[in-house]
Amino acid sequence: MSESAKTDQLRLGFMETIEVEGRGHIGGLLITNQNGRPLEFQCTTPVRPNRTQEILFGETLKPWLLGELIGSTLLDRVAIKPSLVVTSDPCLLELRNHTHVPIAVAESAEGEQGGTTGRRGIPAGGEAENRKLQLGGSMLRFHEAHHGDVDSLQKQKHLIPDSADLQEPLERVREALAETVRTVFAR
Amino acid sequence: MDAAGINFESGDNGGGVSESDGGMLLPQRPELLQTGFNPALSRMPAPDTICSTLDLPLDFVPCWTPRRIPLRCIGLTLPEGVEFLSPAPPKPALPVDAPKAAAKSAEESGDGEQPKKKVTRLQPPPDALSLQDRLFYLLQPPLESWLAGQELIMPFEPFSYQYEGIAWLFSSQSALLADEMGLGKTMQTITAIRLLLRSGQARRILLICPKPLIPNWQREFKTWAEELPVVVMEGNGVRRRMLWTMPGVPILIANYELMTRDLAEISEEEQPKFDLLVLDEAQRIKNRESNTALTARAIKRRRSWALTGTPIENRPEELGALFEFMEVIPKGGSPDLRQLSRLAKKYILRRTKDLVMKDMPPRIDRDAELELTDAQESAYRIAEKEGVIQLNDLGDSITVQHVFELVLRLKQIANYDPLTGESAKLERLQADMEEIAASGGKAILFSQWTKTIDWLEPRLKEFNPLIYHGGVPTKQREPILAKFKQDPKAHILLMSYGTGAVGLNLQFAGYVFLFDRWWNPAIEDQAVNRAHRIGVKNQVIVTRFISRNTIEERIDRVLREKRELFEMVLGEGDNNNRSLSLSASEIFGLFDLKARHKDGARSIGPKPVAAGGEAA
């Protein structure tokens, strides 16, 4: 848990990446307060792996590219450090291995009821259940190697209204990234 | 093997070390020169063993280390909003339950709209060029969640068109909100102001309105944004001067007269600056050269919003004055109709009840065109003939007042014949009321004259009529309205346009009769809006009585022609036209008036103009 987190306020990070054809991936991180009001936004320039990286990283290329490279850069750059980073992309969970900030994949809470397999292939039930936390209207899945994340967020869970939709800000980030691509590449 | 571990393939001399010995074989056999050393070379070496540590680095190690590719970032820090203390004690609706509470409140209040799934996202204004400016709007939460009680508690859930209006205002530097009356311009403005303050886009806001409306604005601010401190410009000159220049007042409300008077006395250097200037009833500045308009335009501000239900009262050119205030045309600019129409699309947001029909049960207008009874017809023709003769005799001394008097006399006869009491309108009204009363419905009837209302009352006894006009003492008015609402036998409320057209909520009445026509459709609309307003649950049927071949038909035709002109500017869908008063020339035009001279006759009265003149 970030040291910047206070007991009466929660800074949330929402991170998404998009692929721009022919240019590579760009990532964006939106920091909001616990009510979703935006405080800061950072996005990266596009990055594209070269052939050597594609061969050597193999299946780990995307987690490295999106999580370690783009995600770490964004987290380093934001002035307001979040207490939690939410994303829709499981590849970004890799970022958790390079930061002390909990990273979680947000999924619809309704869609999780009774399911044996979560979205994007993340297994549900058993061990996976131990790293899930319902926050607002979303079910958050945390990195399997960081068991303490769920427990630490439980203490601040009350700061997030039950009506909060933690997936909605991700849409804002995607729109902002698309707008950035349109504006910057049109120049 | 030598120390370097290199062996040569020995071939026929048999002195080499095979590959199996662990040495490396060179692919080519070296050519040996015949010298005295050759035998020595063919002798097997006698290696000696020494101990040595392996501390030499390898000459070449193929390696690849993943390097952190430096990435550049584009950053945006959003401005800190102004924090306000929540009104204490906290509302029972905790954030968790706020959306449900808001929805429930709306239901209880009679608004009856179910919470919508629709999401209203803020869009960057078209003239926002910088990426940072555009991202600011895109990164804001949808209005529905912003106002859902997580941070800002709304007493009632806004309608979807109101969300759109709030989002439009929030993103606009220059805006004219011209919604039809009753659609919530005040609430949309207050909420947009609230969001601007909360998001740090504005810190000092000036709202100018007519003096009688100040209590209304205070009340609305209390309802929709309780946490916002509102200061009303009042008191003596010293206090007002202090208020004008005092920083840290988020919202200042002043009336037009004080704005004009006070700001004239403040030096140029001390003139206050505002992030937003809102003009309510902005038609007040339609005369560009008036002190009010000049003062309003001179106020230093970053955003300019105008509010009015009647952006055009008489001439489309009046929009030019509003556009000049909004700084979307140059000073003194006179856009033509096409330019006005283009500017209107960009800077005016106007919704009529027709356009937001999905949020409100429909209003059904029907014209009841009636033939006068014989007695009425006879009385009408005599009065018209004599009246026109008298007007012609007046020649150039004729005034609009003279014509007006004749119009009034003819309209009264169209209501009922004063001698015989015959009335085609009454016959139709009684027939309609029988049906309405039989179904337990309620109706409101409007007339221009209290005399007509008093005449109608005994003739509608079976429907238990109630009277509400200027002749009724103020103290008795509220009980009359309460009785009309609660008494199931009271089926009709007879009201005058002057007293009953504004400020009353009579959504429970499903029928409205306009017994005679007012000069101005805006007043008629105000009257109809008593019944057809937010909260109405069923359709409202509006019946306008028009006597055929009478002055009423001619007035109706003139007003319809004017509407077509205004639709060109404000766009289609603006069926319920605003304050399109009859001009003096149009009133003269209702009769073919000619002054007689020795050499013939010529038309008298002001020449008609396309759309202009003094309103009636």
Side-chain angles (χ1 to χ4, degrees), chain B residues 51 72 84 169 189 261 367 452:
Chain B
C51 291
R72 287 196 310 151
F84 299 99
L169 278 175
T189 305
R261 195 191 313 163
D367 289 344
T452 298

Side-chain angles (χ1 to χ4, degrees), chain B residues 107-112 361 507-508 531 533-539:
Chain B
E107 202 174 322
E108 285 171 356
S109 74
D111 291 353
Q507 294 97 323
F508 48 90
R533 58 193 300 110
I534 290 175
V536 66
K537 287 180 176 157
N538 300 306
Q539 65 180 18

Side-chain angles (χ1 to χ4, degrees), chain B residues 18-233:
Chain B
S18 70
E19 191 177 341
S20 60
D21 293 328
M24 182 188 286
L25 294 180
L26 289 176
Q28 198 172 358
R29 189 178 144 196
E31 191 178 340
L32 299 177
L33 296 174
Q34 296 302 317
T35 67
F37 293 105
N38 286 346
L41 288 172
S42 64
R43 265 201 308 275
M44 286 295 288
D48 195 10
T49 305
I50 59 168
C51 291
S52 175
T53 55
L54 294 172
D55 55 354
L56 293 173
L58 297 175
D59 286 346
F60 171 71
V61 177
C63 68
W64 184 88
T65 309
R67 235 173 3 98
R68 179 85 179 262
I69 303 170
L71 278 180
R72 287 196 310 151
C73 284
I74 300 169
L76 169 67
T77 302
L78 291 105
E80 279 287 327
V82 179
E83 295 292 337
F84 299 99
L85 291 175
S86 297
K91 291 284 174 76
L94 294 171
V96 171
D97 300 326
K100 291 176 193 166
K104 193 179 173 192
S105 299
E107 202 174 322
E108 285 171 356
S109 74
D111 291 353
E113 194 188 53
Q114 295 299 315
K116 285 188 162 38
K117 298 276 183 188
K118 192 182 166 192
V119 167
T120 309
R121 299 292 307 272
L122 294 171
Q123 292 300 319
D127 50 356
L129 296 178
S130 82
L131 177 60
Q132 274 78 5
D133 284 350
R134 299 181 71 76
L135 290 182
F136 169 82
Y137 291 98
L138 291 173
L139 291 171
Q140 300 299 329
L143 284 187
E144 284 78 0
S145 62
W146 204 354
L147 298 172
Q150 293 179 22
E151 197 164 38
L152 301 175
I153 293 174
M154 294 288 281
F156 308 111
E157 172 87 26
F159 292 98
S160 60
Y161 75 86
Q162 290 173 328
Y163 277 125
E164 287 164 15
I166 294 163
W168 181 79
L169 278 175
F170 184 87
S171 303
S172 299
Q173 297 289 320
S174 304
L176 170 54
L177 183 59
D179 282 348
E180 189 180 4
M181 67 194 84
L183 292 184
K185 286 190 292 293
T186 305
M187 180 281 253
Q188 293 174 69
T189 305
I190 289 173
T191 308
I193 285 174
R194 194 183 190 198
L195 297 182
L196 282 178
L197 287 166
R198 285 289 190 157
S199 61
Q201 291 293 288
R203 290 179 182 275
R204 196 151 187 251
I205 292 164
L206 174 63
L207 192 150
I208 305 291
C209 66
K211 191 175 181 182
L213 295 185
I214 285 182
N216 185 55
W217 274 100
Q218 285 179 292
R219 187 173 61 249
E220 294 292 313
F221 265 108
K222 188 85 176 163
T223 303
W224 293 100
E226 196 179 359
E227 82 280 8
L228 296 186
V230 174
V231 174
V232 174
M233 183 63 65

Side-chain angles (χ1 to χ4, degrees), chain A residues 39 41 43 45 168 172 179, chain B residues 72 74 76 121 134 139:
Chain A
L39 303 172
F41 177 73
C43 72
T45 49
E168 181 279 320
R172 282 187 255 165
E179 179 69 26
Chain B
R72 287 196 310 151
I74 300 169
L76 169 67
R121 299 292 307 272
R134 299 181 71 76
L139 291 171

